[in-house]
Amino acid sequence: KQWYQRRVRDDSFRKNLESALRFGNPLLVQDCENYDAILNPVLNRELRRTGGRVLITIGDQDIDFSPSFTIFLSTRDPSVEFPPDICSRVTFVNFTVTRNSLQSQCAN
C-alpha cells in the first residue's frame, strides 16, 4: 500500500487525506502539534451509510470511507500538550529517547 506522509499545513494535505480515506491507505500526519479541525470527523469516526456506501464528510465534501484506512499523528516536540478532547479520541505512544533509557539499555 502507498503511504501518505504530510504535514497539516501542507497545501496538498486535504487532497491526500481524502485520497487515503477513499482508498484505505495509511496517512502519517507529521508535526501535529498544529492540529487542524479538519481531522475532527476522522478522529470522531463520523461515518454514515447511504445506499450501501460508507461516507465521511470532510469540509463540504462527502468522501467514500475505506475500512482499511489508518491515521498516525506524530510530533517531534516532547513538551506538546494536547487538549483533553483529542486525548480521549486517540492512543498515545511515546517514543521519546532519554539519557536514562539509553543507559539502562546499554547496561543490559
Side-chain angles (χ1 to χ4, degrees):
K1 285 192 172 189
Q2 178 182 0
W3 273 74
Y4 293 104
Q5 178 178 335
R6 292 286 177 255
R7 288 178 171 75
V8 174
R9 298 200 187 271
D10 287 352
D11 293 335
S12 62
F13 176 74
R14 182 174 172 162
K15 178 182 167 194
N16 282 266
L17 173 62
E18 292 173 1
S19 186
L21 285 164
R22 184 173 288 121
F23 299 113
N25 294 326
L27 175 67
L28 171 62
V29 182
Q30 296 178 322
D31 302 329
C32 67
E33 59 271 4
N34 301 317
Y35 177 79
D36 192 336
I38 199 163
L39 292 174
N40 282 338
V42 177
L43 296 180
N44 290 337
R45 305 218 18 116
E46 296 173 4
L47 306 175
R48 69 180 193 288
R49 298 188 191 288
T50 305
R53 296 168 57 193
V54 179
L55 300 173
I56 187 167
T57 303
I58 302 296
D60 58 351
Q61 245 184 340
D62 288 338
I63 307 294
D64 286 303
F65 180 82
S66 171
S68 61
F69 169 75
T70 308
I71 188 168
F72 300 91
L73 307 175
S74 73
T75 181
R76 295 180 191 168
D77 184 0
S79 64
V80 69
E81 292 191 22
F82 293 100
D85 65 312
I86 293 177
C87 294
S88 67
R89 295 182 282 171
V90 299
T91 301
F92 285 96
V93 179
N94 187 349
F95 289 106
T96 304
V97 177
T98 63
R99 181 179 299 269
N100 289 339
S101 67
L102 287 175
Q103 286 176 342
S104 68
Q105 286 181 10
C106 291
N108 291 337

